[in-house]
Amino acid sequence: MKTHRIAILPGDGTGPEVVREAVKVLDAAAARFGFELAKTEYDLGGERYKRTGETLPDSVLEELKGHNAILLGAIGHPDVRPGILEKGILLRLRFELDQYINLRPVRLYPGVETPIKDKGPKEIDYVVVRENSGDIYTGMGGIAMKGTADEVATQVMCYSRRQVERCLRWAFEYARKHGKKARGAGEKNTLALVGKTNVLTYVFDLWERAFHEIGDRDYPDVAREYYHVDACCMWMVKSPEWFDVLVTGNMFGDIITDLGAMTQGGMGLAAGGNINPQGVSMFEPIGGSAPKYTGQDVICPIAAIGAAGMMMDTLGEHETAARIESAIEKSLASGKIKSLSAGKMGMSTSQVGDYIAQLAAT
Ligand code: IPM
Ligand code: MN
């Protein structure tokens, strides 16, 4: 029997509650589809930091490299100054494991309410490929003359050709394999670059040149579009049906995927994968630690379950991934879950997990 070695990082806030349900669904699917999960849990997060001062010890990082994939709950603690855990754990993992793709589908499931008037599952169905290794996230910059009236702060947006190119190539491949034509949902597979070539005339000049050079040379079958990021936000609300696969830099990708998540029914549904195509990838609900709802068994676990499904796809268990996705879909279409907002589901976090696990197992 095939065994997948999975590192489980429940993390902070509601992370442990939603990861527990994702693991429940994975175990049910493993039994059904005949593979084994060897799970190791790590207590990275705010509590460990408060206790020991450690964020991500090098020894843990090394151990994580020995796994096939990582399932993460959430990072961020109300008692810890913003940035310490996020940079020390989440971003460090993304960088050290070179997870240079952040794949964030924006898909409205049938039965889920969207705040976008007159749009449904047919219209809200696209994917954002967020570059995950560079940009302002690189951490270059500094503050000079701090505390004086003349103080200056910089935070540098930077990209190398290599970073841009590997991300674009992955996005073109993804569009070719999973775009609207490939899925039978349209006439062509389209990759749209989201940038800001009218202001960021260096960084997005690089992106745009690479985009067309690679597209012309190696992906003539994939249609190309370009949107400025501000206009992209407008169309995400007004005409989301225009989109197929979007590719963008790290910062813009961060921002537009929160907007995308709201259009697909909220943070409780939005899953993402931090992918190193040659290495260890990490999957997470993108919603954060929700301290307000911690420990109450009221948070929606579906994003974490969806992330677990994406993880199985990356591990080559495509049937399992499809089953988890359809179990989520059935649970949402059933009308049993009253709302996806925390505390309003009409079911507890663990009951939603039980229900989806049961759907995934049958
Ligand atoms: C996300 C989050 C992170 C990011 C934070 C917590 C560092 O917002 O995964 O989208 O900015 O990437
Ligand atoms: Mn974000």
Side-chain angles (χ1 to χ4, degrees):
M1 198 184 285
K2 178 131 199 188
T3 301
H4 300 287
R5 290 161 49 81
I6 309 296
I8 311 282
L9 276 50
D12 297 318
T14 49
E17 292 163 62
V18 297
V19 162
R20 194 176 308 130
E21 302 315 310
V23 169
K24 192 186 276 175
V25 174
L26 283 177
D27 283 339
R32 166 74 175 71
F33 290 100
F35 58 86
E36 233 165 293
L37 293 173
K39 289 168 273 185
T40 330
E41 195 170 310
Y42 294 91
D43 68 344
L44 301 177
E47 291 302 326
R48 178 167 180 163
Y49 175 73
K50 278 170 58 185
R51 210 169 56 239
T52 67
E54 292 170 322
T55 46
L56 172 60
D58 292 340
S59 61
V60 172
L61 180 62
E62 284 314 306
E63 284 182 39
L64 289 174
K65 289 180 184 166
H67 288 77
N68 299 115
I70 302 169
L71 185 62
L72 171 71
I75 295 293
H77 194 293
D79 302 345
V80 182
R81 187 159 52 86
I84 294 178
L85 302 170
E86 292 84 347
K87 276 187 162 176
I89 303 174
L90 180 62
L91 297 181
R92 181 148 177 250
L93 282 170
R94 288 178 183 169
F95 290 149
E96 296 265 5
L97 300 174
D98 204 16
Q99 294 159 342
Y100 61 87
I101 298 296
N102 196 329
L103 182 65
R104 296 186 161 182
V106 180
R107 172 159 187 230
L108 178 68
Y109 287 105
V112 176
E113 212 174 301
T114 173
I116 309 291
K117 200 165 133 250
D118 300 331
K119 303 291 177 188
K122 236 182 98 215
E123 286 80 25
I124 301 176
D125 184 14
Y126 56 96
V127 172
V128 178
V129 177
R130 166 186 175 188
E131 201 289 330
N132 212 30
S133 71
D135 203 338
I136 305 183
Y137 282 75
T138 309
M140 282 167 66
I143 303 183
M145 295 172 280
K146 193 167 180 175
T148 73
D150 294 317
E151 95 175 83
V152 195
T154 59
Q155 200 97 41
V156 180
M157 177 177 272
C158 56
Y159 262 116
S160 68
R161 172 80 193 205
R162 189 181 81 89
Q163 282 176 319
V164 168
E165 180 141 354
R166 66 182 183 174
C167 173
L168 286 169
R169 285 194 178 281
W170 195 90
F172 273 115
E173 290 287 341
Y174 186 90
R176 184 180 269 172
K177 280 197 214 105
H178 305 285
K180 285 195 165 158
K181 183 177 177 198
R183 299 204 311 280
E187 269 151 38
K188 33 185 193 177
N189 297 322
T190 306
L191 180 65
L193 174 65
V194 177
K196 189 74 185 170
T197 52
N198 52 349
V199 175
L200 304 176
T201 50
Y202 308 126
V203 165
F204 280 97
D205 180 68
L206 171 58
W207 273 92
E208 197 178 34
R209 274 183 291 116
F211 180 59
H212 290 301
E213 281 168 27
I214 295 166
D216 274 338
R217 197 180 326 125
D218 296 328
Y219 300 93
D221 53 307
V222 177
R224 270 170 274 151
E225 290 177 349
Y226 172 81
Y227 298 95
H228 290 320
V229 64
D230 46 353
C232 176
C233 290
M234 176 174 82
W235 300 123
M236 282 170 76
V237 172
K238 197 171 188 310
S239 308
E241 66 278 9
W242 287 2
F243 298 136
D244 188 352
V245 182
L246 303 179
V247 62
T248 189
N250 208 344
M251 184 85 257
F252 293 164
D254 176 47
I255 298 167
I256 69 172
T257 53
D258 268 26
L259 174 57
M262 289 319 287
T263 68
Q264 72 180 112
M267 285 300 184
L269 285 178
N274 302 277
I275 297 173
N276 175 338
Q278 288 84 38
V280 184
S281 300
M282 176 169 74
F283 298 82
E284 54 175 337
I286 76 174
S289 57
K292 209 169 115 190
Y293 298 109
T294 300
Q296 298 173 29
D297 206 19
V298 297
I299 194 95
C300 178
I302 295 179
I305 297 169
M310 289 175 76
M311 177 173 81
M312 295 323 294
D313 209 33
T314 306
L315 291 171
E317 300 284 355
H318 304 298
E319 221 186 329
T320 302
R323 176 61 65 100
I324 292 176
E325 168 127 13
S326 76
I328 290 175
E329 208 165 316
K330 277 187 202 151
S331 75
L332 291 167
S334 73
K336 285 193 186 169
I337 307 170
K338 297 286 165 256
S339 152
L340 297 163
S341 305
K344 297 185 188 147
M345 294 192 292
M347 277 168 111
S348 67
T349 305
S350 49
Q351 283 170 332
V352 173
D354 287 341
Y355 181 39
I356 296 176
Q358 176 216 320
L359 289 169
T362 48

